Amino acid sequence: MARLLVALLLIGPVAAGLIGVVLPAFGYFPAIGRTAFGLDAFAELFAWPGFVPLIRLSMTTGLGATALAVIGASLISAALVGTKAWRWLRTTLGPFLALPHATAAFGLAFVIAPSGLIVRLLAVPFGWDRPPDLVIINDPLGLAMILGLAMKEIPFLLLMIIAALPQSDFDRRLQVSGALGYGRIAGWFLTVWPAIYGQIRLPVYLVLAYSISVVDVAIILGPTTPPPLAVAITRLMNDPDLAMRSKAAAGALVQLGLVIGAFGIWWLVERTCRAFRNAIINAGGRLLSAEATKPLATATAYTITAMLIAGIGIAALWSVAGFWGFPNLLPDSFTLRSWTRQDALVDAGMETVLIAGAAVIAALLIALSLTYTDRKLPTWLLYAPLIVPQVTFLPGLQTLMLFAGLEAGVLPVLLVHLIFVLPYVLLTFQGASDAWDRRFAIIGAALGRSRHSIFLRLQLPMLIGPLLGALAIGFAVSVGQYLPTLLIGGGRVETLTTEAVALASGGDRRLIGVYAVAQTIAALLPFVIAAMVPAIIWRNRKGMAHG
């Protein structure tokens, strides 16, 4: 029964949201007096000026960012696995994963903008006294958006690769390929990577779906005229004219079609790469030139790390900056005025913590109930609400709330956040829970302990570290949710992320810096707690630590 309820929680809102999109898209929208089915909404959408560029931008930025992220993650793993740099990378992945997409996008903007860190560093040796007249952020091709998405997704794919490595038997594969005359990089891509990719294929498709339908990063870094389709749909859903909802619903279905089309293109790319690999192996090619990519991969890993850290650092500087003229590397003065005048920051921060905390507690209870009963959910079920684009089913949920006369507010937002928090908590915690040595339970039972006692006094304390880590990830996921908060909250629920993205159009760097730093603290603080609590609890009993 518990598994059925959790499955309904994950699938039900997605299915209901899709129904809520299909009905108005095909003309049935009683709220504005439309009860006859038809294709008028699609005709209106297709006749929209700039519709084709919307489609093109969504596909090129989504596919480009995914390809860049996969290539980057594969090159980094090929060059670094087994080295000291790889061990260092593993320990630093957590904070970068926790960083909300919007915060990472703001950080990148602070670094690559015409008056950003890179140009300021170049200004002194080249004698520039004003920023170059270049469109780097919000460029028409979406290159900044592609870079921002790839930088944020590479750490996620590296985490998936780390989880897949033990099953790939990579050491022996590299030894055999090395004995046959292949270099490390060539041996990795011809023998190890296919085994790893088979295990991370679903997360790659998840990245692809997200990149094609992302809204917050597109608002911050993407083109504005026209924007990607997901941004246009969001604007239509927030239009005061309810008649625009039908057009938005039609756009949401087109967005779903784009994601399915992108899956098809990616599937063809996979088959082409597989055929290319087989051709190289059959021809006995050694890919000697592939070794030249090793310095590039190492440099990529350090560059991404440096840019993310520098972005947050510059955001923190802007949040306390007085006058900061170009090309100075530091502000002329410092002030806390941007922090002290932000009453809205406190309200948004409290709302963020309230929603994320409640969603994480609910996810914790579900995770514990599944662990206690030794039940597991199929992996595909956990990925289901993540792989369907948010912008496809959330407008439907909003429309269904309108049909049902439900008020937008914190509670609906909390429930929708749980849909996205729960899969990450379960995916993160299930591995540690499955790896827990059941012989401890057998020993406990032999000593006369009940299942309840074994769970509370043995299993749960030993899993406290992985459990807190999973909850920290869930908290960070909730903090970063933009579209669910905006659409389901009806604009009445203001979190740090919604406020930060709203500031993107204003261009006030001090305020953006304040909210970017606040987002970072909100997302990272649970990770600090998750690292400290087990260390304090088990400081004298390290054998109790697990995972």
Side-chain angles (χ1 to χ4, degrees):
M1 179 60 82
R3 282 206 312 171
L4 179 61
L5 290 175
V6 177
L8 285 175
L9 175 65
L10 293 172
I11 296 294
V14 178
L18 290 176
I19 294 171
V21 161
V22 168
L23 291 178
F26 287 95
Y28 185 81
F29 197 1
I32 56 173
R34 293 180 182 176
T35 54
F37 286 95
L39 297 174
D40 293 346
F42 286 97
E44 191 179 352
L45 181 71
F46 296 153
W48 197 9
F51 176 71
V52 174
L54 293 175
I55 302 295
R56 186 177 61 242
L57 267 174
S58 297
M59 292 297 279
T60 54
T61 53
L63 286 167
T66 307
L68 200 57
V70 172
I71 292 171
S74 59
L75 278 176
I76 290 171
S77 56
L80 300 184
V81 164
T83 65
K84 288 182 180 178
W86 180 255
R87 289 192 287 276
W88 172 81
L89 199 63
R90 288 183 60 162
T91 58
T92 55
L93 269 181
F96 296 128
L97 285 170
L99 211 59
H101 281 79
T103 309
F106 280 128
L108 179 64
F110 280 127
V111 173
I112 67 171
S115 59
L117 177 63
I118 293 176
V119 174
R120 286 173 187 263
L121 289 172
L122 295 173
V124 174
F126 285 96
W128 298 340
D129 58 0
R130 63 185 62 186
D133 187 16
L134 296 173
V135 182
I136 298 176
I137 306 298
N138 308 124
D139 62 288
L141 296 177
L143 298 179
M145 180 180 164
I146 291 173
L147 181 61
L149 284 169
M151 281 180 54
K152 188 67 181 73
E153 300 303 345
I154 284 176
F156 171 69
L157 291 179
L158 286 175
L159 181 70
M160 297 296 107
I161 291 172
I162 289 170
L165 271 177
Q167 289 79 42
S168 67
D169 200 12
F170 70 95
D171 272 337
R172 285 199 290 181
R173 288 173 187 254
L174 286 177
Q175 287 173 5
V176 171
S177 61
L180 293 173
Y182 290 88
R184 178 185 171 87
I185 303 295
W188 177 274
F189 281 108
L190 294 177
T191 63
V192 181
W193 181 246
I196 290 178
Y197 186 79
Q199 297 181 62
I200 68 166
R201 196 164 177 247
L202 200 51
V204 168
Y205 277 83
L206 178 65
V207 170
L208 180 57
Y210 178 82
S211 300
I212 288 180
S213 57
V214 67
V215 175
D216 50 357
V217 177
I219 291 174
I220 297 167
L221 295 175
T224 53
T225 317
L229 179 60
V231 177
I233 294 170
T234 306
R235 289 174 182 168
L236 289 173
M237 288 302 297
N238 286 317
D239 195 301
D241 184 2
L242 288 181
M244 291 294 106
R245 302 292 177 91
S246 295
K247 190 174 171 181
L253 291 182
V254 172
Q255 180 74 64
L256 181 61
L258 289 185
V259 172
I260 294 172
F263 285 173
I265 293 172
W266 195 262
W267 180 78
L268 289 175
V269 170
E270 288 176 344
R271 294 186 68 83
T272 304
C273 291
R274 189 185 309 165
F276 182 62
R277 165 182 165 266
N278 292 339
I280 291 173
I281 292 175
N282 292 333
R286 292 294 186 269
L287 292 177
L288 297 177
S289 59
E291 300 308 308
T293 62
K294 190 173 180 179
L296 173 65
T298 307
T300 301
Y302 286 113
T303 301
I304 291 174
T305 306
M307 289 184 76
L308 288 172
I309 293 174
I312 299 304
I314 299 296
L317 271 180
W318 270 110
S319 73
V320 293
F323 179 76
W324 193 355
F326 185 88
N328 297 341
L329 289 176
L330 290 173
D332 295 344
S333 60
F334 294 91
T335 173
L336 292 175
R337 186 173 53 194
S338 298
W339 286 90
T340 55
R341 291 186 177 180
Q342 293 305 310
D343 294 337
L345 175 69
V346 177
D347 296 337
M350 291 179 65
E351 204 117 60
T352 301
V353 173
L354 171 67
I355 294 170
V360 161
I361 290 172
L364 166 69
L365 296 175
I366 293 171
L368 290 181
S369 69
L370 292 174
T371 303
Y372 181 78
T373 55
D374 282 335
R375 300 298 182 107
K376 285 181 61 178
L377 294 174
T379 303
W380 66 265
L381 183 62
L382 297 176
Y383 277 101
L386 304 179
I387 211 160
V388 178
Q390 291 184 355
V391 78
T392 296
F393 72 92
L394 288 177
L397 280 182
Q398 190 191 43
T399 304
L400 288 179
M401 287 174 61
L402 193 66
F403 284 167
L406 298 175
E407 290 283 335
V410 173
L411 184 59
V413 171
L414 193 160
L415 293 174
V416 174
H417 274 223
L418 181 59
I419 299 170
F420 303 108
V421 168
L422 184 59
Y424 282 101
V425 171
L426 293 181
L427 283 168
T428 311
F429 181 60
Q430 269 189 1
S433 178
D434 293 344
W436 185 70
D437 194 339
R438 262 54 183 179
R439 286 177 296 182
F440 288 116
I442 295 173
I443 294 170
L447 294 174
R449 296 294 182 181
S450 64
R451 176 71 185 97
H452 185 68
S453 175
I454 291 170
F455 177 73
L456 288 179
R457 303 185 63 177
L458 200 58
Q459 188 173 8
L460 189 56
M462 293 182 72
L463 291 173
I464 190 69
L467 183 61
L468 289 176
L471 297 181
I473 289 176
F475 197 94
V477 168
S478 178
V479 170
Q481 293 298 317
Y482 171 71
L483 199 59
T485 312
L486 180 71
L487 291 184
I488 305 303
R492 301 175 190 171
V493 179
E494 296 173 346
T495 63
L496 293 173
T497 299
T498 58
E499 291 300 287
V501 176
L503 289 170
S505 58
D508 187 331
R509 296 186 180 190
R510 290 171 182 79
L511 278 183
I512 290 173
V514 167
Y515 278 89
V517 172
Q519 271 186 302
T520 305
I521 293 172
L524 292 187
L525 192 57
F527 280 89
V528 176
I529 296 172
M532 291 179 62
V533 170
I536 294 173
I537 293 177
W538 305 130
R539 63 186 183 282
N540 295 324
R541 287 177 286 176
K542 293 182 179 177
M544 289 291 286
H546 179 85

